[in-house]
Amino acid sequence: MTLENGWSRRRLVAGAAMTGAGLATGLGPVAAAAAPDAGAALRALLAESARSERSIDPLDAVRAKGVDAARFTDPLSDAYRDQRLEARQRDARGLAGIDRSALSDTDRLAYDVFRYRTAAAIEDITSGLFDIGRMTNLDPSFGLQVSFPDAASG
């Protein structure tokens, strides 16, 4: 299957895996302005985005065990929606400040996957899809009410 931008599904999945692997290396937050090259700026942006997501998402906070894990955020609230939108828009601005052509092939792939996921998240929130999802009934088999206790119990 080829996506709109000409990428195959396999390449997109591989890029997502590379992005996850880059985040899993434990890169600490580094100021993008102090980055010596575009690749370092991208890695700093990815690390900052992951840190931001952990501070917003209740399940990520619990998994991080130490990033305000005792705090529960209502994922159906307006504040949660606004925080997620602000974080994704900050990610989009950060991506706009990175010269894609100066990246290595691997970093370009991570950049493209991150740009795609960021744009999709912004679209979900600004299109009203997120608000519609908040109005749907809870599914007794799936959802936060099922997965949060599992994650919190370790």
Side-chain angles (χ1 to χ4, degrees):
M1 176 177 156
T2 302
L3 302 174
E4 180 180 303
N5 62 1
W7 283 26
S8 68
R9 187 178 195 145
R10 179 173 288 164
R11 185 173 179 200
L12 183 64
V13 170
M18 291 296 293
T19 301
L23 292 174
T25 61
L27 297 172
V30 178
D37 62 25
L42 177 63
R43 288 184 289 282
L45 178 62
L46 290 171
E48 178 58 27
S49 178
R51 187 205 57 76
S52 172
E53 189 64 23
R54 281 192 310 270
S55 72
I56 296 169
D57 190 288
L59 290 177
D60 281 346
V62 168
R63 288 183 194 119
K65 294 187 187 339
V67 182
D68 203 9
R71 177 183 57 84
F72 177 76
T73 301
D74 180 4
L76 302 177
S77 69
D78 290 338
Y80 178 75
R81 180 195 63 219
D82 295 343
Q83 286 177 330
R84 296 233 10 178
L85 180 59
E86 180 183 331
R88 297 301 72 84
Q89 288 173 335
R90 188 172 46 249
D91 291 343
R93 287 190 301 271
L95 279 171
I98 296 173
D99 180 14
R100 184 184 181 280
S101 64
L103 297 170
S104 68
D105 289 341
T106 303
D107 286 343
R108 248 184 259 130
L109 186 57
Y111 176 97
D112 290 341
V113 170
F114 188 60
R115 183 183 64 200
Y116 174 82
R117 291 179 54 116
T118 299
I122 291 171
E123 179 65 21
D124 282 349
I125 297 170
T126 59
S127 69
L129 187 61
F130 181 84
D131 292 326
I132 291 170
R134 294 190 312 168
M135 293 185 282
T136 59
N137 294 328
L138 290 175
D139 180 342
S141 300
F142 302 99
L144 183 63
Q145 77 282 2
V146 174
S147 58
F148 187 77
D150 290 342
S153 67

